[in-house]
Amino acid sequence: MSAPSNPAAFDELIHAPVRLRICASLAPVAWAEFAQLRDALGVADSVLSKHLKQLVDARYAYIERFTKGGRSHVRVALTVDGRKAYVGHVAALRAMLEVDS
């Protein structure tokens, strides 16, 4: 039997500012189009691609390419593991900020 996992877990991969913002943008939605995400974050395509690759390699996110109206689109979503890691990371950050009264 495995020990219960602590939901609060600092994650170095997610903690990088752009990746943290990517996860925060994806957490409340099922998916987001690449262009939407790029514009919301105010980063270049290459910057977003680099950070998404790291999240995909860690199996925290996945990318789906599709055609709609004759145009190519790319959409991005967090995986179940990615959502768990993000929620755990946010919980760890909140725990760090707690101050005893």
Side-chain angles (χ1 to χ4, degrees), residues 12-89:
E12 290 284 341
L13 180 72
I14 290 176
H15 192 66
V18 173
R19 288 191 295 275
L20 183 58
R21 291 175 60 214
I22 290 169
C23 292
S25 297
L26 293 175
V29 299
W31 55 269
E33 287 204 28
F34 183 93
Q36 274 181 308
L37 197 52
R38 176 202 61 216
D39 294 347
L41 299 174
V43 297
D45 286 358
S46 59
V47 171
L48 181 55
S49 292
K50 173 188 165 193
H51 288 286
L52 284 175
K53 180 178 180 344
Q54 290 175 304
L55 291 169
V56 168
D57 288 349
R59 297 189 175 144
Y60 283 178
Y62 69 93
I63 296 173
E64 179 182 343
R65 289 169 173 74
F66 64 100
T67 303
K68 179 176 161 186
R71 297 191 62 198
S72 292
H73 295 268
V74 176
R75 66 182 184 182
V76 184
L78 289 178
T79 63
V80 171
D81 287 344
R83 284 185 192 282
K84 286 179 185 175
Y86 172 70
V87 168
H89 184 71

Side-chain angles (χ1 to χ4, degrees), residues 8-12 15 88-99:
F10 189 89
D11 191 304
E12 290 284 341
H15 192 66
H89 184 71
V90 170
L93 293 176
R94 285 187 175 139
M96 285 181 211
L97 296 173
E98 286 182 4
V99 177

